[in-house]
């Protein structure tokens, strides 16, 4: 069975119909995000990023924020 059965049935109900909109995925451990990315890419979405698990996502956001502050500083 799919880890994301509703997403597999109709991705547009979650991410819209535009296939080139940037999409960032994450979940608690990162495993469902992997599956969700497979489903979205298989459905034709072209700008899908798997940020991994929740902790990975938070680290990514902190790094991005630190870089933005450095540019502003």
């Amino acid at each position: 069975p799919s880890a994301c059965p509703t997403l597999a049935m109709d991705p547009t109900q979650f991410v819209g119909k535009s296939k080139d909109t940037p999409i960032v995925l994450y979940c608690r451990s990162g495993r469902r995000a992997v599956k969700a990315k497979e489903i979205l890419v298989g459905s034709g979405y072209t700008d899908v990023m798997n940020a991994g698990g929740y902790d990975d996502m938070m680290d990514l956001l902190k790094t991005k924020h630190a870089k933005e502050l450095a540019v502003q500083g």
Side-chain angles (χ1 to χ4, degrees), residues 19-45:
K19 303 279 182 159
D20 60 350
T21 298
I23 301 167
V24 179
L25 303 166
Y26 70 97
C27 62
R28 185 179 55 82
S29 69
R31 290 177 41 204
R32 286 176 301 230
V34 168
K35 184 61 180 171
K37 181 176 180 178
E38 291 172 1
I39 291 168
L40 292 170
V41 169
S43 296
Y45 289 85

Side-chain angles (χ1 to χ4, degrees), residues 3-26:
C4 311
T6 307
L7 179 64
M9 287 189 300
D10 182 14
T12 62
Q13 67 180 324
F14 296 100
V15 295
K17 295 182 181 185
S18 177
K19 303 279 182 159
D20 60 350
T21 298
I23 301 167
V24 179
L25 303 166
Y26 70 97

